[in-house]
Amino acid sequence: MSIATPKDGLAWITGASTGIGAALVAQLVGEGWTVVATARGADKLEALAAAHPGRVIAAPGDITDAPAMAALVARVEAESGREIALAVLNAGAWQEMGAADFDLVAFHHQIEVNLGGTAACLAPLMQRMMARRSGQIAIVASVAGYRGLPRGGAYGATKAALIALAESLKFDLDKAGVTMNLINPGFVRTPMTAVNEFPMPFLLETDDAARRISRGLKRSGFEITFPWQLVWPLKLIQILPARLFFALLRRAGG
Ligand SMILES: NC(=O)c1ccc[n+]([C@@H]2O[C@H](COP(=O)([O-])OP(=O)(O)OC[C@H]3O[C@@H](n4cnc5c(N)ncnc54)[C@H](OP(=O)(O)O)[C@@H]3O)[C@@H](O)[C@H]2O)c1
């Protein structure tokens, strides 16, 4: 499996305007990458590009627009004369909901952005990287995709689907010389989690999360997940039989 380096080409980060994505832009620029930054908010991307002159290419766009993502990848590679060697598909949306306040519009929005949008970015990337027999793609899912957690049904469903998608595609990508990584963060302090009123154990800052992601991308393992204090209990919960799982979570207060 190949680990992409700045010599191999550009890095592309979606969801680059805030939170984990913006911190990862700064981290990768610091490591010598030129980073293509995508999100819908062009102003924030322009500010990032201005903060890192010549090292950040602002490429605004909506990841749910599949033709626009295919065009963006083609345009960036043609205009820069460089290939996208590393892609971190990080853009995402979260809205808490349970059974009583189940919101179909918010449900479909999360499916569309987290799952559909990631697929829309994957399609042109995989096609190009497989043809070149090189490249590294990382999908940002979440530890929330390990098991169905209270009030996280819509979001968790999209993240569980992304985990399955990354695992499934890895079989073919391995054969084609393209590296697939799965990133499952625990809680990180970002605009996304600022709305949460529940406790967020072992909450990390974005620069810490970005450092851990960057370290993981350079290792040979498939999954990059942190912090271990949250991940290990969740991995254990993942293998519990349903009866024990529900009893334990109920006792923990749902
Ligand atoms: N924070 C956590 O605790 C945590 C934990 C586990 C996993 N994650 C995952 O990590 C990723 C980043 O989350 P974050 O916490 O950094 O959240 P965030 O600060 O809210 O960032 C989300 C990013 O996605 C972009 N985005 C949203 N919809 C988009 C669309 N349709 N097209 C293009 N870009 C879009 C946003 O920019 P625009 O609004 O300008 O488009 C923003 O740049 C997400 O996939 C999230 O699920 C986060």
Side-chain angles (χ1 to χ4, degrees):
M1 79 171 248
S2 65
I3 307 287
T5 71
K7 280 197 292 248
D8 301 324
L10 305 168
W12 183 30
I13 302 177
T14 69
S17 59
T18 58
I20 296 170
L24 194 58
V25 170
Q27 176 70 30
L28 293 191
V29 164
E31 295 176 13
W33 286 94
T34 299
V35 180
V36 181
T38 294
R40 292 163 305 175
D43 291 358
K44 290 198 178 105
L45 300 180
E46 292 300 345
L48 262 180
H52 304 283
R55 304 295 301 286
V56 172
I57 302 170
D62 187 330
I63 62 160
T64 64
D65 184 343
M69 287 304 106
L72 184 154
V73 169
R75 190 183 65 244
V76 158
E77 292 196 342
E79 284 177 1
S80 67
R82 302 191 73 195
E83 297 164 352
I84 293 174
L86 169 68
V88 182
L89 305 181
N90 161 78
W94 143 252
Q95 188 176 318
E96 182 180 351
M97 69 175 86
D101 58 353
F102 195 79
D103 176 342
L104 211 45
V105 172
F107 177 85
H108 283 299
H109 177 68
Q110 288 172 83
I111 299 275
E112 197 187 351
V113 175
N114 299 359
L115 190 54
T118 301
C121 299
L122 270 173
L125 278 176
M126 289 195 298
Q127 197 187 34
R128 284 164 179 262
M129 288 183 175
M130 287 174 85
R132 300 196 283 255
R133 296 197 61 81
S134 70
Q136 185 173 6
I137 303 172
I139 292 179
V140 179
S142 169
V143 295
Y146 286 170
R147 200 114 198 209
L149 299 174
R151 302 199 49 75
Y155 180 78
T158 68
K159 296 302 185 175
L162 285 176
I163 292 171
L165 181 65
E167 287 178 352
S168 171
L169 292 174
K170 180 173 159 50
F171 288 101
D172 284 347
L173 293 176
D174 275 351
K175 285 187 223 146
V178 177
T179 301
M180 171 60 86
N181 289 113
L182 170 67
I183 302 173
N184 288 325
F187 294 111
V188 183
R189 194 193 310 276
T190 68
M192 181 180 280
T193 50
V195 297
N196 293 348
E197 284 171 1
F198 52 81
M200 293 187 278
F202 310 109
L203 181 72
L204 298 178
E205 301 301 329
T206 51
D207 53 349
D208 189 356
R211 271 195 305 273
R212 290 169 192 247
I213 290 172
S214 151
R215 264 204 310 271
L217 289 171
K218 290 183 220 136
R219 292 194 186 126
S220 59
F222 168 64
E223 186 185 9
I224 300 164
T225 182
F226 53 81
W228 65 267
Q229 295 93 328
L230 183 68
V231 171
W232 284 21
L234 288 175
K235 291 255 186 206
L236 270 176
I237 285 172
Q238 204 177 10
I239 56 169
L240 286 182
R243 186 197 294 261
L244 270 174
F245 166 71
F246 289 117
L248 188 77
L249 276 250
R250 269 194 210 104
R251 189 170 303 174

